[in-house]
């Protein structure tokens, strides 16, 4: 399963400041720390996910690196030649090899052209970019501007980066994760044609929500006593509708309930401080084995 977007994991916008990202990380790290969740596998998994997300975007430098990695994500793994095929400049032993391959291909292409069909042109790698839309924009469709980075072969084996902006036509009622292919708008090739641009639609799931596959998940804070004993909590859906849901006894952090088209996930409520009666009650529970 593909890793979730770190901005969604931390619940922050792509324009969030370092301080906002750090605050969101600290809150979630406290919430899902294994020591606070009795070794729950779900909480441990979420804790690791939160830590990885902060490592990816916690500083301006790490965010820059993350965006570059996202730019290259459509180009195959392993840090290979970004232009694909043997026509690229990477790993070819210098300009002598470059020229040799260029002229060898030129002669071979000329001979094949004289004796038969023209060989297919080599293509650059496809580029991948996300188009962020609100739920209303995805529902209505339309034309939206997208800015992305295209890699093109430069001089003496260099790779030039070109920022491009173009209009993307989105069909009405488009779903999260839908792909739109724009032909020949991807990365360049030194002797061939551009690859394609794969545009992936990313729909804002709403405040306090994130995507898990094709499902929208909204986290709600539940006190430990309610998780163990059961009870009712109030939930506000992204649409603004409020209602109460029933928490079954002996629920765990990470358990979910489906409400309409939203998955409600239980997280442990943050405790900033305890009064004397609460402390006495917790000490009694500890003495009783809880």
């Amino acid at each position: 399963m593909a890793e979730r977007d770190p901005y969604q994991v931390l619940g922050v916008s792509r324009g969030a400041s370092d301080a906002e990202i750090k605050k969101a990380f600290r809150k979630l790290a406290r919430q899902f720390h294994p020591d606070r969740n009795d070794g729950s596998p779900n909480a441990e998994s979420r804790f690791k996910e939160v830590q990885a997300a902060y490592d990816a975007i916690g500083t301006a430098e790490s965010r820059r690196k993350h965006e570059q990695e996202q730019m290259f994500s459509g180009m195959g793994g392993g840090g290979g030649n970004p232009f694909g095929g043997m026509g690229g400049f990477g790993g070819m032993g210098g300009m002598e090899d470059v020229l040799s391959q260029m002229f060898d291909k030129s002669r071979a292409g000329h001979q094949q052209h004289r004796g038969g069909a023209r060989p297919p042109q080599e293509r650059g790698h496809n580029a991948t970019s996300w188009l962020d839309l609100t739920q209303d924009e995805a529902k209505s469709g339309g034309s939206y501007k997208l800015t992305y980075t295209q890699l093109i072969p430069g001089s003496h084996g260099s790779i030039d980066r070109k920022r491009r902006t173009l209009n993307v036509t989105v069909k009405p009622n488009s779903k999260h994760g839908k792909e739109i292919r724009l032909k020949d708008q991807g990365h360049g090739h030194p002797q061939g044609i551009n690859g394609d641009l794969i545009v992936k639609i990313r729909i804002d799931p709403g405040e306090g929500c994130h995507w898990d596959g094709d499902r929208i998940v909204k986290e709600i804070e539940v006190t430990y006593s309610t998780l163990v004993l059961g009870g009712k909590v109030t939930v506000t859906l992204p649409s603004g509708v409020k209602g109460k849901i029933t928490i079954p006894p002996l629920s765990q952090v990470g358990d979910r309930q489906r409400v309409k088209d939203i998955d409600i996930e239980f997280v442990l409520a943050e405790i900033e401080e305890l009064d004397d009666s609460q402390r006495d009650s917790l000490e009694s529970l500890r003495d009783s084995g809880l």
Side-chain angles (χ1 to χ4, degrees), residues 29-105:
R30 289 196 305 269
Q31 179 178 321
F32 293 113
H33 196 285
D35 292 346
R36 301 187 64 179
N37 292 275
D38 196 25
S40 165
N42 287 334
E44 182 177 2
S45 176
R46 290 298 302 278
F47 178 79
K48 291 179 178 178
E49 184 182 41
V50 167
Q51 180 65 64
Y54 183 72
D55 289 343
I57 63 171
T59 65
E61 177 63 21
S62 62
R63 287 196 295 279
R64 183 189 64 79
K65 182 179 178 181
H66 172 72
E67 294 302 329
Q68 288 183 344
E69 290 174 350
Q70 291 298 301
M71 180 181 71
F72 281 85
S73 64
M75 297 163 31
N81 175 6
F83 299 117
M86 295 181 61
F89 290 156
M92 294 171 55
M95 285 302 297
E96 182 178 351
D97 290 341
V98 173
L99 295 173
S100 174
Q101 290 199 21
M102 288 176 64
F103 285 110
D104 285 346
K105 287 189 174 185

Side-chain angles (χ1 to χ4, degrees), residues 105-121:
K105 287 189 174 185
S106 177
R107 286 194 291 269
H110 180 65
Q111 291 171 358
Q112 290 186 21
H113 180 62
R114 291 177 58 187
R118 182 185 297 273
Q121 287 182 287

Side-chain angles (χ1 to χ4, degrees), residues 151-170:
L151 303 182
I152 56 177
S155 58
H156 305 294
S158 66
I159 300 175
D160 295 334
R161 292 169 171 80
K162 179 180 179 181
R163 295 292 286 172
R164 299 193 59 199
T165 299
L166 45 77
N167 291 321
V168 178
T169 300
V170 176

Side-chain angles (χ1 to χ4, degrees), residues 164-181:
R164 299 193 59 199
T165 299
L166 45 77
N167 291 321
V168 178
T169 300
V170 176
K171 294 182 178 179
N173 299 314
S174 290
K175 303 299 183 183
H176 177 78
K178 176 180 174 58
E179 295 185 355
I180 302 172
R181 180 181 291 265

Side-chain angles (χ1 to χ4, degrees), residues 3-21:
E3 293 184 0
R4 286 170 51 200
D5 181 86
Y7 293 95
Q8 292 188 1
V9 172
L10 297 178
V12 297
S13 69
R14 303 187 77 83
S17 66
D18 287 1
E20 290 171 328
I21 292 174

